[in-house]
């Protein structure tokens, strides 16, 4: 069980593990590319290991050489019918994106996941994929995994997505690689665009026009893929350093894709001092060092328009908002209810145990400022980001914060505790 307690400051230079979203896509897209791909910086978190296991099940040779992962891509039509059920574990990205790829395959696949994933909505991908011509069935009238998929003979669609979700957009774009015609996805607020960038970098015909993403059937070619550090993992350290005056922390080699940097904007608006150095681009993704200096923070309003750019960072933002001066309001974040757990309810329940004055809203929460955080035993709900947000709460608390079920942190950040020890003074 992870236990954290009061920190004086965060100081030093660290790196964080590879980006989860990009690691998934690196394995998936190189599996359906022609030729070898060499992936460096791959995140060996449980979610991405689930993606590797699924693609091995589909007949792709994937070798873990320590420093790099070698994927022997077999082209768009090189996957084979798996002998057994594929297991996406805890990973929504694995299940939803693979469903797009499997919709292009004429063979039969069954995909399942753990107890959490089997509760998460799949109609959001099943509906458009069916419209394209894929056969997808599941429990609860096709909304819940296990999913049964037999694809083939796809037709392009022009789809206005009811949710701003990169998993939905990506599932449709990946199916679009196999469809006749031009597939178009539109969303109200642009979600993370790693799929588009990587497809382009591997030779795919992808275009963005007036916010709509368009893809045409195209062959992909394997290449070297560098996975940057995950800004969503860096966020836990960024938030803690920003909120503890006197902190001075550098996180090196972090992905700075503009569809992911909402956390930087929010921390700056709250009053933190953040600078970005050593910027370069690789595989269409911007990478750089994030330098944070802790200041007295103030509460702010976070609304719908920015939510997709910081969706996974809301638990830790809520936590440090409790230490800021003045109220913080988060709205337009109902998507949090269908993550690994209901992250609104989970955060409100556990923050209250730490003595924080917080109110649950139907689409977010309201956090009063300047709380005296007390020690307590809290739950992770099996959700890695809840567990890590709680650990950060402990850095501000008068007593120990004990996080039950903290082993789930290995889903996205296996060496979180060691990194924390490295920089907490
Ligand atoms: C992800 C998209 C987001 C995010 C998740 C990873 C991705 O989910 O919360 O952690 O890799 O595409 P949604 O697409 O459901 O918003």
């Amino acid at each position: 069980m992870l236990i954290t307690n009061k920190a004086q400051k965060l100081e030093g230079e660290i790196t964080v593990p590879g980006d989860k979203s990009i690691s998934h896509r690196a394995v998936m897209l190189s599996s359906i590319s022609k030729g070898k791909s060499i992936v460096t910086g791959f995140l060996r978190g449980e979610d991405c290991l689930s993606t590797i296991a699924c693609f091995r099940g589909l007949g792709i040779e994937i070798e873990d050489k320590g420093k790099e992962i070698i994927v022997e891509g077999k082209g768009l039509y090189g996957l084979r019918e798996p002998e057994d059920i594929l297991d996406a574990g805890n990973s929504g990205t694995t299940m939803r994106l693979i469903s797009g790829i499997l919709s292009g395959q004429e063979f039969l696949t069954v995909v399942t996941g753990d107890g959490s994933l089997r509760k998460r909505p799949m109609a959001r991908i099943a509906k458009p994929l069916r419209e394209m011509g894929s056969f997808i069935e599941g429990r609860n009238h096709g909304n819940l995994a296990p999913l049964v998929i037999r694809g083939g003979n796809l037709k392009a669609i022009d789809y206005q997505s009811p949710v701003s979700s990169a998993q939905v957009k990506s599932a449709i774009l990946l199916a679009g690689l196999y469809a006749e015609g031009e597939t178009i996805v539109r969303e109200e607020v642009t979600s993370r665009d790693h799929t588009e960038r990587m497809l382009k970098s591997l030779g795919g015909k992808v275009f963005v026009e007036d916010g709509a993403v368009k893809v045409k059937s195209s062959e992909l070619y394997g290449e070297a893929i560098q996975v940057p550090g995950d800004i969503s993992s860096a966020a836990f350290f960024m938030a803690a350093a920003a909120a503890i005056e006197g902190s001075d922390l550098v996180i090196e080699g972090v992905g700075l894709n503009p569809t992911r940097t909402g956390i930087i904007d929010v921390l700056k608006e709250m009053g933190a001092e953040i600078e970005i150095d050593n910027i370069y681009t690789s595989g269409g993704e911007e990478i750089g060092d994030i330098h944070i200096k802790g200041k007295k923070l103030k509460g702010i309003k976070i609304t719908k328009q920015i939510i997709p750019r910081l969706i996974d960072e809301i638990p830790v933002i809520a936590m440090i908002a409790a230490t800021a001066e003045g109220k913080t309001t988060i709205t337009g974040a109902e998507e949090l209810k269908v993550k690994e757990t209901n992250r609104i309810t989970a955060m409100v329940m556990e923050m209250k145990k730490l003595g924080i004055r917080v109110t649950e809203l139907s689409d977010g929460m309201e956090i009063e400022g300047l709380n005296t955080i007390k020690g307590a035993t809290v739950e992770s709900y099996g959700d890695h980001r809840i567990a890590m947000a709680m650990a950060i709460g402990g850095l501000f608390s008068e007593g120990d914060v004990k996080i039950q079920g903290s082993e789930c942190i290995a889903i996205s950040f296996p060496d979180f505790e060691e990194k924390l020890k490295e920089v907490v003074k």
Side-chain angles (χ1 to χ4, degrees):
M1 181 165 57
L2 178 59
I3 301 175
T4 57
N5 41 45
K6 203 174 197 81
Q8 295 313 310
K9 59 182 176 181
L10 271 72
E11 198 173 62
E13 288 162 18
I14 51 163
T15 56
V16 288
D19 187 277
K20 183 156 79 71
S21 293
I22 299 177
S23 295
H24 283 301
R25 287 158 175 81
V27 167
M28 293 187 185
L29 297 190
S30 46
S31 292
I32 56 167
S33 294
K34 279 192 170 157
K36 191 194 292 258
S37 287
I38 300 168
V39 185
T40 50
F42 182 82
L43 167 64
R44 282 178 188 72
E46 286 166 10
D47 271 9
C48 300
L49 297 177
S50 293
T51 291
I52 289 189
C54 287
F55 279 82
R56 283 187 177 142
L58 289 161
I60 300 296
E61 252 177 66
I62 304 171
E63 200 186 343
D64 188 344
K65 288 200 145 187
K67 254 190 127 175
E68 48 200 33
I69 303 271
I70 315 277
V71 183
E72 299 288 347
K74 289 191 171 167
L76 286 180
Y77 295 97
L79 303 175
R80 65 157 162 71
E81 185 168 77
E83 285 167 23
D84 205 347
I85 292 171
L86 301 183
D87 188 356
N90 190 244
S91 172
T93 309
T94 308
M95 180 164 288
R96 296 198 177 110
L97 269 60
I98 212 172
S99 298
I101 293 174
L102 293 173
S103 291
Q105 319 298 324
E106 284 180 6
F107 54 71
L108 186 88
T109 312
V110 180
V111 194
T112 192
D114 70 6
S116 153
L117 188 53
R118 280 184 275 113
K119 288 196 199 95
R120 296 179 63 187
M122 293 299 148
R124 52 179 59 198
I125 51 137
K127 182 179 171 284
L129 294 175
R130 274 189 210 117
E131 277 175 31
M132 294 177 83
S134 177
F135 171 86
I136 304 192
E137 254 311 335
R139 293 182 303 124
N140 191 241
H141 309 288
N143 186 35
L144 298 177
L147 298 178
V148 180
I149 305 173
R150 188 188 289 280
N153 284 322
L154 300 186
K155 292 252 181 325
I157 52 168
D158 183 339
Y159 194 68
Q160 174 72 48
S161 181
V163 278
S164 293
S165 155
Q167 294 179 2
V168 171
K169 174 175 63 177
S170 302
I172 300 168
L173 294 177
L174 293 174
L177 289 175
Y178 296 89
E180 200 188 303
E182 186 178 62
T183 299
I184 306 175
V185 188
R186 305 169 196 272
E187 44 186 8
E188 196 185 325
V189 186
T190 302
S191 61
R192 63 190 67 189
D193 64 356
H194 304 297
T195 303
E196 295 90 304
R197 286 173 192 253
M198 199 179 289
L199 277 174
K200 235 182 235 168
S201 161
L202 298 175
K205 293 180 190 144
V206 190
F207 319 90
V208 182
E209 239 173 54
D210 300 329
V213 190
K214 308 181 176 186
V215 68
K216 283 186 188 158
S217 180
S218 35
E219 204 57 77
L220 308 174
Y221 298 91
E223 63 174 16
I225 301 173
Q226 185 193 350
V227 180
D230 197 329
I231 192 163
S232 297
S233 297
F236 295 98
F237 293 89
M238 290 166 68
I244 304 178
E245 277 189 273
S247 290
D248 190 342
L249 183 70
V250 178
I251 312 176
E252 294 166 337
V254 182
L256 296 170
N257 180 314
T259 60
R260 297 284 299 282
T261 47
I263 179 72
I264 298 178
D265 299 352
V266 156
L267 292 177
K268 277 186 177 166
E269 195 184 334
M270 293 179 86
E273 194 181 315
I274 302 183
E275 269 169 36
I276 313 289
D277 305 308
N278 302 325
I279 303 174
Y280 68 100
T281 302
S282 174
E285 296 282 355
E286 221 168 72
I287 304 170
D289 300 343
I290 304 178
H291 189 171
I292 309 114
K293 286 188 180 157
K295 299 280 159 188
K296 253 201 181 75
L297 300 186
K298 59 178 196 300
I300 58 166
K301 281 197 169 71
I302 298 173
T303 55
K304 190 172 179 178
Q305 208 58 25
I306 198 174
I307 298 293
R309 293 181 56 233
L310 46 68
I311 185 74
D312 293 336
E313 288 67 79
I314 293 173
V316 77
I317 291 172
M319 185 58 84
I320 59 140
T323 72
E325 197 182 323
K327 190 190 279 185
T328 294
T329 316
I330 303 169
T331 53
E334 48 275 274
E335 272 295 300
L336 287 180
K337 295 180 181 175
V338 291
K339 293 295 174 190
E340 286 80 334
T341 189
N342 179 336
R343 286 184 176 159
I344 299 178
T345 307
M347 281 307 294
V348 169
M349 293 266 293
E350 302 314 295
M351 285 167 78
K352 280 185 174 161
K353 289 183 190 165
L354 300 179
I356 297 167
R357 289 163 290 126
V358 53
T359 311
E360 182 167 351
L361 305 176
S362 62
D363 62 346
M365 63 187 98
E366 226 171 58
I367 308 124
E368 301 297 330
L370 296 179
N371 291 273
T372 303
I373 298 183
K374 62 177 196 212
T377 299
V378 293
E379 302 291 329
S380 73
Y381 299 80
D383 184 321
H384 51 132
R385 299 205 200 277
I386 301 292
M388 288 186 275
M390 290 297 142
I392 297 306
L395 304 182
F396 298 88
S397 98
E398 301 299 333
D400 284 354
V401 171
K402 300 178 181 168
I403 303 127
Q404 276 177 335
S406 58
E407 60 286 346
C408 62
I409 290 172
I411 285 173
S412 66
F413 201 156
D415 57 353
F416 175 75
E417 192 175 350
E418 291 76 53
K419 296 275 176 184
L420 202 58
K421 282 189 182 140
E422 225 179 291
V423 294
V424 166
K425 310 288 167 194

